[in-house]
């Protein structure tokens, strides 16, 4: 299982609706609207890195109101 944090910037005033919509997607563990340089932080998981990438591109980035994402895979050193 691969997990990642997805840092999301949204259009002004869209953070809570983006977080709510993403929170309903399969593979999303948690989605929170936050303050700072990013508006929403998501923790997601998938079976492989490729599946995680497909989820981000095909599902997460398609949510209305998102302007930019940054995916940070979790590593265990």
């Amino acid at each position: 299982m691969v997990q990642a944090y997805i840092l999301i910037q949204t259009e002004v005033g869209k953070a809570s609706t983006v977080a709510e919509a993403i929170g309903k997607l399969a593979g999303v563990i948690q989605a929170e609207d936050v303050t700072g340089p990013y508006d929403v932080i998501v923790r997601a998981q998938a079976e492989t890195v490729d599946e995680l990438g497909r989820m981000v591109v095909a599902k997460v980035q398609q949510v209305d109101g998102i302007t930019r994402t940054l995916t940070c895979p979790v590593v265990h050193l």
Side-chain angles (χ1 to χ4, degrees), residues 6 8 13 27 32 34 36 39 50-54 60 67-68 71:
I6 306 166
I8 300 171
E32 300 284 346
V34 297
D39 303 306
D50 288 341
E51 282 184 30
L52 182 66
R54 283 191 292 273
V60 173
T67 58
R68 178 176 286 176
T71 303

Side-chain angles (χ1 to χ4, degrees), residues 17-31:
T17 56
V18 166
E20 184 178 339
I22 291 175
K24 297 175 183 175
L25 297 176
V28 171
I29 299 168
Q30 189 171 14

